[in-house]
Amino acid sequence: MLRMIDRLLDRITMYRLVLYYLLGLILAAIGLSVFGVLAFSPWHILLSTIILVVTCWVVNKIFAAILRIPTNPESTHITALILALIITPVGLEGLSIGFLLAAAGLAITSKYLLTIHKQHLFNPAAIAVVLTALGPHQSASWWVGTRSLIPFVLIGGILVVRKLQRGRMVVTFFASALSASIIYTLLTHGSVPTMLHNTLTTSAMFFLGFVMLTEPLTTPPTARKQIWYALLVGLLFPPQAHILHLYATPELALVAGNIFSCLLSPKVKLTPKINQKLKLTPDCVDFVFEPGRQFSYQPGQYMEWTLPHEQMDSRGARRYLTLASSPTESTIRIGVKFYEHGSSFKQTLLALQPHTPIAAAGLAGDFVLPKDQHQKLVFIAGGIGITPYRSMIKYLIDKDERRPVILIYAARTPADFAYRDIFEQAREKLGVQTHYMVSSRSAGLAHPFERHGRITEAMLRSTVPDYLERAFYISGTQSMVAAMKDMLQAMGIPDNQVKRDFFSGYS
C-alpha cells in the first residue's frame, strides 16, 4: 500500500499537492456547513476564500511587475487558502472584509520586503496574522482546527509530510507541543485528559504542523536543525506559554521558529543566467548557469528552481533540483532528464535563453560528504540520480582530497552514463573505484569498467567486500532507492550507515 501511495505522490509536485489539499479542506468545510455540521455559512466560507485569493493574486502581480522577478502562482494561492482556513469566514461587513484585505496584503508583501538576499524570512500567512493582531487587534481563529475537519486535516496532512519526507520534524513538533501542554496544565492544576482531548480534536496543532511548519523556504536546510526548529515551535505552541503579557498563539510560535531558522540557515536566492546546455546522454542535459553572485553550499545539496511560463501544466512552475556543480566551480549546474511527453516546466527549461527569468532558492539537503575524511564510502546511483555524486567527486578532485570511495552507477546502456569524464578523472587522480552496471543485455560494452547486470546483493558483496565498514549513499528514483535500502538492510548494514536521496519521477 505504501509503495502504491509513494508512486502516486511521485507524480505530483509538492506545491500542487499542498494546493489540492487546501482546496479539499475548503470544499469539505463548505460541504459540512451546508449540512449544518460547521457553524459557519457556506457562503461566508466561499466569499472569504474568493476575497483572499483575488487579493493575494493582485498584490503578488504588482510586486512581481515592479521588481521583475519570477514568481510561482501556486505559492500565492497556497498562502491565500491558508489564510482562508485560519481567519474566521465573514460576510459583507466592512470591518471584517478589511481584515481579510489587510491579512492578504501583508502576507504577500512579507514575501518581497521581509527578506534576506531576496528570500522571505517568515511564513507569509503566519506573519500576516501576527501583524494584524499587533496592529488592528484582529486575530486568526484557526477555525480549521474543529472536530469535524480534523479527519480531513489528518489524511491530507500525512500525505503532504510523506511527500516532503519531513516525518521526523513533524512528529518532533507534535511531541514537543503535547509535552509542553502537559507541563503547563500540571503547573496550573488543570485537567490533563481534558487538555489532551481538546488539543487533539479542536486545536490548530495538526494544521500548523502539516502545512505551515513544513514550508520549505522558512525551515532549516538540514535534518538536525529541523528537529531543533520543530522542538522550539512546539514548546511555544501551548496557549499558556507567554513572555510578560504576550501570550503564545500558533502564528507567534511559528514566527519565532522562523527567526530561529533564519539564524541557523543561510538565506540564498539567485536569478542565474544560462551559460551552456550540454547533452549528457540521449535524454539528459546539463544546464550550466552564471549564478550572478557567489554563495556557499555543500556538495550534494539541492535548491528549489522556479521557472514561470505560459500554458503551465498541472505539475507547476517549481522543481527541487540537485546542484551537480561543486562549490569550487564559478558556475552552477543541474543535470535534468527529459521524457517524450515532458512537463511544461521541462519544455520551457530546455528552451531556456539568457533573458528568460528563472530563480533558485531554498538551499537545503543532508545528502553531503561526511566530515570524517577517513570514512569508507559507497556511492550508488541510478540514472540521473548521479548528479549529487558529480558535485561531491568534482569537489574532491579540486581539493585534491583522497577518500576511500566506491562508485556504482547503474543505467540501461553505456550511452546513458553521465559525467563519466569526472569519474574517470577521479579514478586516475584520487583512486576512486568506478563500476558501471549496464542493465540491457543487448547493449555492447565500451569501457573496461562496464559490465552487464543489475545491482544485486551478490554483486555488492563481491564488489564491496568490506561493506560492513562503509557508509552507503543511494540516489535515484524513489523505487530504486527503496529497493536498495531493503537490500542493504538484508545485508546487515545499519540504518545509520545509509543515506538516501531520491528525485521525483514527474517529468
Side-chain angles (χ1 to χ4, degrees):
M1 176 64 74
L2 286 178
R3 294 285 173 86
M4 183 181 70
I5 291 172
D6 287 337
R7 283 195 296 271
L8 291 173
L9 293 177
D10 198 35
R11 297 171 184 170
I12 186 171
T13 66
M14 181 272 291
Y15 283 95
R16 192 54 59 101
L17 176 63
V18 174
L19 184 61
Y20 291 160
Y21 170 41
L22 296 174
L23 281 171
L25 289 177
I26 293 289
L27 292 175
I30 291 173
L32 292 171
S33 296
V34 167
F35 291 102
V37 179
L38 278 179
F40 308 109
S41 161
W43 302 113
H44 287 180
I45 296 173
L46 183 61
L47 176 64
S48 296
T49 301
I50 291 172
I51 290 172
L52 288 164
V53 168
V54 171
T55 305
C56 285
W57 182 82
V58 169
V59 175
N60 189 67
K61 279 289 186 182
I62 292 171
F63 273 105
I66 293 172
L67 300 178
R68 297 181 180 179
I69 57 177
T71 62
N72 180 16
E74 290 174 318
S75 178
T76 302
H77 299 328
I78 287 170
T79 297
L81 293 176
I82 291 173
L83 289 172
L85 288 161
I86 67 175
I87 296 175
T88 304
V90 300
L92 296 174
E93 301 86 358
L95 186 61
S96 297
I97 291 179
F99 178 25
L100 296 180
L101 296 174
L106 288 169
I108 301 303
T109 299
S110 73
K111 292 187 179 186
Y112 293 95
L113 299 186
L114 300 180
T115 63
I116 292 180
H117 298 311
K118 299 181 180 179
Q119 184 173 329
H120 63 266
L121 304 179
F122 302 106
N123 179 281
I127 191 63
V129 291
V130 165
L131 294 174
T132 55
L134 295 176
H137 300 290
Q138 292 181 290
S139 303
S141 64
W142 294 84
W143 65 275
V144 67
T146 54
R147 185 176 288 105
S148 57
L149 280 175
I150 287 294
F152 300 96
V153 172
L154 287 173
I155 294 169
I158 290 170
L159 293 177
V160 168
V161 171
R162 187 162 185 85
K163 172 71 177 179
L164 289 172
Q165 300 287 302
R166 297 285 172 88
R168 288 179 62 192
M169 182 179 78
V170 172
V171 169
T172 299
F173 164 68
F174 292 155
S176 175
L178 290 172
S179 299
S181 297
I182 290 171
I183 292 171
Y184 279 116
T185 302
L186 290 173
L187 289 175
T188 56
H189 307 289
S191 169
V192 171
T194 300
M195 179 278 298
L196 288 174
H197 178 267
N198 292 337
T199 301
L200 294 174
T201 61
T202 58
S203 84
M205 185 180 72
F206 291 117
F207 187 78
L208 181 69
F210 289 139
V211 177
M212 300 173 73
L213 183 81
T214 56
E215 188 206 9
L217 294 181
T218 54
T219 56
T222 61
R224 181 172 296 181
K225 292 177 180 178
Q226 288 167 6
I227 296 300
W228 286 107
Y229 166 70
L231 187 66
L232 173 65
V233 177
L235 290 174
L236 296 176
F237 175 80
Q240 302 97 319
H242 66 280
I243 300 174
L244 297 177
H245 297 293
L246 183 63
Y247 279 81
T249 61
E251 60 268 25
L252 267 176
L254 186 59
V255 165
N258 293 160
I259 294 172
F260 175 76
S261 174
C262 178
L263 295 174
L264 289 181
S265 317
K267 295 297 179 183
V268 176
K269 186 168 186 179
L270 308 174
T271 51
K273 302 296 182 185
I274 188 68
N275 182 312
Q276 285 181 291
K277 301 174 196 173
L278 306 172
K279 193 165 187 178
L280 295 171
T281 72
D283 56 8
C284 293
V285 175
D286 195 38
F287 294 85
V288 184
F289 294 89
E290 297 291 342
R293 66 180 182 85
Q294 293 299 311
F295 72 105
S296 299
Y297 61 96
Q298 295 184 66
Q301 290 191 301
Y302 62 84
M303 298 184 78
E304 182 185 75
W305 295 74
T306 302
L307 181 57
H309 53 278
E310 299 294 331
Q311 299 179 335
M312 183 171 60
D313 64 19
S314 62
R315 285 162 284 190
R318 292 190 180 187
R319 294 289 188 278
Y320 288 106
L321 298 170
T322 298
L323 296 175
S325 52
S326 162
T328 55
E329 297 178 284
S330 60
T331 56
I332 56 175
R333 61 176 68 209
I334 52 175
V336 181
K337 181 168 182 166
F338 291 85
Y339 299 84
E340 184 178 354
H341 301 290
S343 65
S344 61
F345 178 97
K346 287 194 175 180
Q347 291 172 9
T348 306
L349 183 64
L350 191 59
L352 197 67
Q353 299 297 322
H355 63 271
T356 306
I358 186 170
L363 179 67
D366 290 296
F367 199 76
V368 297
L369 290 165
K371 293 182 180 179
D372 181 4
Q373 297 184 12
H374 301 291
Q375 170 67 60
K376 295 180 179 180
L377 305 172
V378 177
F379 293 162
I380 299 177
I384 200 60
I386 195 66
T387 50
Y389 302 131
R390 193 272 179 197
S391 176
M392 295 177 191
I393 290 178
K394 175 61 174 171
Y395 176 83
L396 296 180
I397 292 171
D398 291 345
K399 290 291 187 179
D400 196 23
E401 186 177 305
R402 298 182 71 90
R403 294 200 186 205
V405 176
I406 297 175
L407 170 66
I408 303 173
Y409 185 4
R412 194 175 65 84
T413 71
D416 295 318
F417 292 117
Y419 304 120
R420 190 188 293 226
D421 58 330
I422 296 295
F423 304 136
E424 290 311 301
Q425 185 182 352
R427 171 189 286 279
E428 295 172 7
K429 187 175 180 181
L430 303 178
V432 171
Q433 298 180 44
T434 53
H435 302 271
Y436 302 101
M437 303 300 297
V438 179
S439 62
S440 174
R441 290 287 179 180
S442 61
L445 303 182
H447 192 280
F449 301 105
E450 293 174 357
R451 53 173 152 161
H452 285 119
R454 299 181 183 274
I455 302 174
T456 63
E457 183 174 334
M459 179 266 171
L460 286 176
R461 288 180 185 274
S462 63
T463 306
V464 191
D466 58 349
Y467 61 87
L468 291 175
E469 302 172 15
R470 291 184 177 263
F472 284 77
Y473 285 57
I474 317 169
S475 177
T477 62
Q478 189 171 31
S479 58
M480 177 264 190
V481 170
M484 289 295 107
K485 178 182 178 296
D486 291 344
M487 187 185 300
L488 295 176
Q489 190 175 43
M491 293 170 64
I493 297 168
D495 283 346
N496 62 4
Q497 287 179 221
V498 180
K499 275 186 174 287
R500 294 169 290 164
D501 188 39
F502 71 87
F503 59 90
S504 294
Y506 53 78
S507 55

